Amino acid sequence: MGLFNVSMALIGALDTDVLENEKLARHTSYRIGGPASLLVTCHSYHALRRAIETVNAEGVPWVVMGRGSNILVSDDGYRGVVIMLGREFGRTVIAEDGCTLTVGAATVLMRVVNDAYARGLSGLEFAVGIPGTLGGAINMDAGTRDEWIGSVVKSVVTYRPGTGICRYDHDQIAWGYRSCSLPAGEIVLEATLGLTPASKQDISTKMDRYLSRRRRTQPMAAASCGSVFRNPPDGSAGKLIEDCGLKGFCVGGAEVSPVHANFIVNKGAATASDVLNVIRTVRGKVQETYGVELQTEVKFLGF
């Protein structure tokens, strides 16, 4: 009765949209994934708190999802509640100093990058072309090998279920390669970014350079989850996979990208099982050839 009670409690609730048995393939960059029992979009903090309290009281599993750019959803979907952040979490406020932005977690990262450019603010050029939301970027400290979002974060506000609002200054968070130390059970609501005034021409030049490199070296037009594996220390997962001769390797509709071997792309009709089989083959071959056990960067839901 848990899911039924959650549905009855949240359908029609203020600032809350509820979809039943919504296919998650419509909400992930992979275009893969079966239905979620409930997809709940919360447009305000109070709606989010109410939704979390309701699912917890009913003992129903739940997960927060942004733009679905770093996730592989099972073909069977997710028997639980997928929560997405809506309107209130997509706002940007600029401070009186003109270079400090407070940005909602649901804001698309590219929108933040373009907003910074429009205001003549530098510091986010490296993020041009990176998909997903600011909240997801914070959680995985998104960026390149040399620059990352954590370096411009001044503070982060989260919601801790059962407690409420929490605030972390930059130095209270350990920023690492594709990770940060924010507690796993907390939901990022917003972050304050400290940027630097610069000429739009200089910002544009840097953005063009990053975007050109991404277009040249990554399959940006294909449906994917971005990099599948973390780079091993002092190494490149993509190079290891390429050196194993696996570029272009396919299972069903899933293919190791001929452009970048650390991308597994959906050629149009791939299933989650296809992608998993490619991942297993790649990990096994790299382990057998180089003795390196690749760790996945993509997150899995419903398996």
Side-chain angles (χ1 to χ4, degrees):
M1 293 294 289
L3 276 167
F4 176 80
N5 290 343
V6 170
S7 179
M8 290 299 98
L10 297 182
I11 289 177
L14 185 65
D15 291 334
T16 306
D17 297 331
V18 179
L19 294 173
E20 297 179 279
N21 296 314
E22 174 72 0
K23 286 188 177 180
L24 293 178
R26 299 180 182 133
H27 302 276
T28 67
S29 60
Y30 243 144
R31 304 293 182 260
I32 292 172
S37 300
L38 292 177
L39 178 66
V40 178
T41 302
C42 300
H43 295 290
S44 68
Y45 167 70
H46 293 294
L48 175 65
R49 186 178 65 185
R50 179 176 58 238
I52 299 294
E53 288 175 350
T54 300
V55 294
N56 282 342
E58 291 295 329
V60 173
W62 58 274
V63 65
V64 173
M65 191 171 82
R67 300 275 288 191
S69 60
N70 188 40
I71 192 167
L72 178 65
V73 179
S74 164
D75 298 316
D76 294 328
Y78 178 65
R79 183 151 182 79
V81 177
V82 172
I83 296 173
M84 302 180 76
L85 303 183
R87 289 187 298 271
E88 185 177 293
F89 307 100
R91 299 173 179 168
T92 297
V93 177
I94 186 163
E96 291 183 2
D97 63 10
C99 54
T100 302
L101 302 180
T102 297
V103 185
T107 309
V108 175
L109 185 57
M110 270 304 304
R111 182 179 143 197
V112 185
V113 173
N114 289 330
D115 193 21
Y117 164 70
R119 298 175 187 274
L121 297 175
S122 177
L124 288 173
E125 294 89 339
F126 69 89
V128 65
I130 296 179
T133 61
L134 179 70
I138 296 293
N139 273 313
M140 68 176 295
D141 198 11
T144 67
R145 280 181 173 270
D146 305 310
E147 297 179 87
W148 48 89
I149 193 76
S151 63
V152 298
V153 171
K154 298 182 74 172
S155 64
V156 176
V157 174
T158 70
Y159 168 58
R160 181 186 298 167
T163 299
I165 297 290
C166 299
R167 184 182 183 279
Y168 300 88
D169 291 329
H170 173 276
D171 292 342
Q172 292 177 291
I173 303 169
W175 303 95
Y177 172 64
R178 299 296 185 267
S179 66
C180 77
S181 65
L182 288 172
E186 295 184 17
I187 302 165
V188 175
L189 303 182
E190 66 180 31
T192 298
L193 313 177
L195 305 177
T196 305
S199 76
K200 285 189 177 181
Q201 182 60 52
D202 288 345
I203 296 170
S204 178
T205 298
K206 289 181 181 177
M207 288 172 65
D208 287 345
R209 187 169 66 246
Y210 281 110
L211 192 56
S212 176
R213 184 178 186 282
R214 284 200 168 97
R215 285 174 172 160
R216 188 175 66 253
T217 62
Q218 299 177 7
M220 293 184 66
S224 78
C225 68
S227 296
V228 173
F229 301 100
R230 295 170 180 264
N231 286 321
D234 303 318
S236 163
K239 187 173 189 310
L240 290 173
I241 298 165
E242 180 177 354
D243 289 348
C244 286
L246 290 171
K247 268 190 172 182
F249 172 77
C250 292
V251 174
E255 177 187 45
V256 176
S257 171
V259 179
H260 192 310
N262 198 16
F263 285 67
I264 298 173
V265 301
N266 176 2
K267 296 198 297 178
T271 64
S273 295
D274 292 340
V275 176
L276 272 182
N277 283 328
V278 173
I279 288 174
R280 292 187 183 115
T281 299
V282 167
R283 291 185 73 178
K285 187 66 173 177
V286 170
Q287 174 82 50
E288 176 188 338
T289 305
Y290 295 106
V292 175
E293 185 176 355
L294 293 178
Q295 302 299 316
T296 51
E297 185 174 305
V298 60
K299 296 179 180 178
F300 300 91
L301 181 64
F303 293 93

